[in-house]
Every structure is written in C-alpha cells, then in structure tokens.
Amino acid sequence: MEDIMEKDKVQKAVKILENSSEFAELIPEVRSNIVMAIEDAKTIDQVVGIPGRITIVNGMPKAVMPPDFMSSSHMARLVLTIIKHDPSKRSAINLKYNPMILDICRKLGLEVSSYNRTQEPAKVKEIEGSTIPWGVETAIEKSGTVPDVIYHKGAWGKEPMICLIGSDACEVAEMAVCIAKLFEIRKNEVVKSTEKIEESLNNCHDVIFAPSRKSWKYKKHDVPCVFCAIAEGNPDIKEMVLYNDKENMVLMNIFPYSRGHLEVVPVKHFTDLNELNSEELEKLFCLVQRSISLIRQVIKPDGINVGLNLGKTAGASIEHLHVHIVPRFKVESGFMETTADTRVIDEDINVTYKKFTEKLDIFEG
C-alpha cells in the first residue's frame, strides 16, 4: 500500500512539472529526476523515481516513463543521506546550475548550502556511489542543518548541479515550478536590459531597494543643506531626530533602505572625513557605536551595514557628511522583492521611532 502511495505522489509531481513550460529551462544536460523515498527508507530500492528521467519534448518537460522504484541511484543516494539527518525530508529534484537560480532560492528564504567536488577525498572516489553521500554530508556540516538546496559547481566531466529538497514530491515539484517562473521573469528582465546574467546579479543584489527613495529623489527643499536646516530646527523640514548633543545628531532616515535605518550627522557642515580633527572623529564614531547598540537592542537584526558616501558620484544625495547605519536580516526578501525588485519595509516608521525613543539612555553612555 505504501509503495502505491509513493508512486502516486511522484506521478502527481510529474504532472505538475509537465504542465510548466518554464520548468523546461531548469532541466540540466543530464536531465532531471524527481524522487521520493518511503518512510524509514534505507536502500535505493525503497526510493521512487522516473526511469529515463525527465527530458524536454517540444519545449515542454516530459517524463520518459511512469515512476517506479530503482529508477535513480544518484538522487536516491542523496535522499537516503538526507533522511539520516531529517526523516521528514524524503524527496528531491535536480536542476541545472545557474547563480540566478540560487539567488532566487535565497530570496525565497530557502536554506542553501554546497560542496566542492574538486575537493572530494581520494578514498571517497575509490568507492562506487560514495560521492553523493559525501557531498550531502559536507553540505549539511557546512550549513549546520539540513538545507533546502544543495549545489556543486561540477568537476572534470561532471555537470554542475542544484538539488532542491523537501518532504513530499508534490511540494518539491511546486517549489521547482515557482523557482522556474521567477527565473523566467528575471531572465527576461536581463535580456531587456541587454546585460549578462552575472552582471545583472552583481548590480542588483548588492543593493537594498527602497521604493520610498523615489519620493526623496524628486523632493525639492528651499534650503542649501537639509542636515544644516535640521540642526537649526527649521520647522519646514520633516525630520526624526533621536539625539542631538550640539556636535552630532542621530536621525532616523525617513526614506529608509531598511527598517530602523539611522544616520549619524555632524552638526557642523563637513563634506569629507578629512575635515574633522581627531577629537571630532572620536565623538562622531563614538555616537556611531552607540547607534549600533541602539539598533541591536530595538531592531535585533542579523547584521548591520555601516557606511559613508563621499561625493555625489559615490552616491551621496546630501553632501553634508553623514554615516549610514542600516540593519540587515537573513530573510529580507519575499514575492515583491524577488519578482519586482521592490523593497518592502515591514514596520511603520513611526512605530520604529517610538521604540527607539524608549532606549535613548544608550546615547548618554
């Protein structure tokens, strides 16, 4: 009865894949196979797969034969190794390697890990069928958990590969189709912009997108310097000052790159770090340290970017010297960010401001 259930799930998963023209783009040269093991599987004959794998016919994915046991030794060994660490994850599919696919997986919040086939120990190479288990164990050790995605960049005579892992064949197939659709969108965007895929990734994924920045870009101020106007208390300039000791200010960026984005700004109009003497530098960066402490207490980010843009060419929209402190999070992206390069700030700025004001004693050090 269990055998029938696993075959049925793989068959349903195949139908999901065969109905997706986008998935054809993710099929590697060696073709794809989707597998699912029975509960507590120990050997490859307890894993269902597709005999002959999944190929491409008239631009559409097509399974060569119906699912059966003993149909994919490579993918079966991968799943069997995964099961030793997490018995709930019994299914997997292999996809072609592409950095854009990996980036999409990360943006969807999937845990991604890898192994290097060129570093495979000689003893492992000598034993038939040992490469995949070794690679999976390496990826798990590297990640500290069972990842959702494991990839390698190939070796001599071996095609680079991405493997998507899940608990159920249908779940894995649906995720593969989702990734394929997002890959298609990304690829079309790159083609339209006439840029290479790698250049597009480097250019867009090192940037935190904030749609509210558009408001800032086209906002005109009737003052020579916005930060100087804030320091002088100009009521016409919208601001969220958290601290001002008459030498330096801490402001919330009202057009933030990320939730809790702060700026540390000298009250005096400097345009370059070299204009500050050692005492002024010390006070400025002491306040940067305390602002980082404030963010860690209130926002609890996974990381923080600290940076300066010196000059318009370097990205400074205001030439008055200021230090950006930007909270960063492991999972910063969802559907909007992945498909539309649109940043979503998940908390109203006034709510964040109130939280910060409750911890301002940090600045008194």
Side-chain angles (χ1 to χ4, degrees):
M1 188 68 182
E2 189 177 52
D3 295 356
I4 296 173
M5 181 181 69
E6 308 308 334
K7 284 186 180 181
D8 182 57
K9 286 187 176 181
V10 174
Q11 183 61 53
K12 288 179 180 177
V14 167
K15 292 300 180 185
I16 293 170
L17 298 172
E18 288 182 330
N19 287 327
S20 171
S21 59
E22 296 89 351
F23 179 71
E25 278 288 323
L26 270 57
I27 296 177
E29 292 295 324
V30 296
R31 298 321 191 206
S32 290
N33 208 328
I34 185 165
V35 300
M36 184 172 182
I38 65 171
E39 289 188 10
D40 301 318
K42 298 292 190 298
T43 58
I44 60 174
D45 60 353
Q46 295 175 305
V47 181
V48 177
I50 308 299
R53 306 184 186 184
I54 300 170
T55 187
I56 304 171
V57 178
N58 296 325
M60 295 293 290
K62 181 66 178 178
V64 175
M65 295 178 66
D68 204 352
F69 288 91
M70 290 290 291
S71 299
S72 175
S73 59
H74 284 78
M75 293 299 291
R77 285 195 287 271
L78 181 144
V79 169
L80 290 172
T81 308
I82 292 290
I83 288 173
K84 292 178 183 178
H85 296 270
D86 187 346
S88 70
K89 294 187 176 181
R90 299 187 284 132
S91 184
I93 189 170
N94 65 311
L95 314 172
K96 76 175 184 182
Y97 174 82
N98 186 301
M100 189 183 292
I101 296 173
L102 293 175
D103 185 75
I104 289 169
C105 290
R106 292 187 180 101
K107 286 208 165 197
L108 288 172
L110 301 179
E111 180 71 26
V112 178
S113 190
S114 65
Y115 62 96
N116 188 340
R117 290 199 67 158
T118 64
Q119 296 177 357
E120 182 181 354
K123 290 183 179 179
V124 173
K125 292 181 180 179
E126 293 171 0
I127 304 173
E128 181 68 25
S130 295
T131 298
I132 298 297
W134 166 81
V136 172
E137 294 287 356
T138 301
I140 291 173
E141 182 179 357
K142 182 177 179 180
S143 179
T145 187
V146 174
D148 304 298
V149 179
I150 294 177
Y151 73 93
H152 67 81
K153 294 184 178 180
W156 179 256
K158 302 296 181 182
E159 184 181 1
M161 201 68 60
I162 297 172
C163 290
L164 185 62
I165 299 158
S167 60
D168 179 280
C170 291
E171 171 196 309
V172 169
E174 287 170 353
M175 181 58 72
V177 169
C178 174
I179 292 168
K181 289 180 178 179
L182 294 174
F183 179 73
E184 183 73 15
I185 292 170
R186 284 282 190 85
K187 189 179 68 169
N188 289 339
E189 288 175 352
V190 173
V191 170
K192 288 178 183 178
S193 63
T194 66
E195 294 177 352
K196 295 179 182 179
I197 291 176
E198 291 294 338
E199 290 173 345
S200 174
L201 285 170
N202 291 335
N203 289 338
C204 70
H205 298 140
D206 289 339
V207 176
I208 304 174
F209 293 92
S212 60
R213 299 294 296 179
K214 186 175 181 180
S215 301
W216 169 256
K217 183 177 178 181
Y218 298 107
K219 189 175 180 67
K220 302 295 183 181
H221 294 285
D222 296 324
V223 294
C225 173
V226 173
F227 287 145
C228 287
I230 291 173
E232 293 164 3
N234 188 324
D236 295 327
I237 305 298
K238 183 180 179 182
E239 46 80 9
M240 285 188 165
V241 178
L242 291 171
Y243 179 78
N244 185 345
D245 62 9
K246 307 305 180 184
E247 292 185 80
N248 296 289
M249 304 180 289
V250 179
L251 317 175
M252 279 191 69
N253 190 322
I254 61 174
F255 299 96
Y257 291 123
S258 181
R259 175 166 58 94
H261 179 174
L262 300 183
E263 293 166 329
V264 180
V265 187
V267 169
K268 185 177 178 181
H269 187 91
F270 295 110
T271 59
D272 192 276
L273 275 179
N274 290 329
E275 297 175 15
L276 281 71
N277 60 39
S278 58
E279 183 180 353
E280 289 167 333
L281 277 172
E282 182 180 353
K283 289 180 178 179
L284 176 69
F285 282 96
C286 179
L287 205 52
V288 169
Q289 284 184 317
R290 292 174 182 176
S291 298
I292 290 171
S293 297
L294 177 66
I295 285 175
R296 283 179 173 153
Q297 279 199 31
V298 175
I299 304 297
K300 296 179 173 57
D302 298 305
I304 297 175
N305 286 130
V306 178
L308 300 97
N309 300 322
L310 302 179
K312 289 184 178 179
T313 305
S317 55
I318 303 174
E319 293 198 17
H320 187 135
L321 181 72
H322 55 287
V323 183
H324 289 276
I325 308 173
V326 185
R328 299 299 302 272
F329 306 90
K330 287 180 181 178
V331 180
E332 294 184 327
S333 302
F335 179 80
M336 288 295 290
E337 291 87 348
T338 305
T339 61
D341 283 341
T342 300
R343 187 74 170 144
V344 176
I345 306 297
D346 61 1
E347 184 174 78
D348 185 274
I349 193 168
N350 294 298
V351 174
T352 311
Y353 180 77
K354 184 177 184 300
K355 290 179 181 178
F356 277 143
T357 59
E358 294 169 355
K359 299 285 185 178
L360 294 185
D361 56 322
I362 287 175
F363 292 124
E364 302 303 330

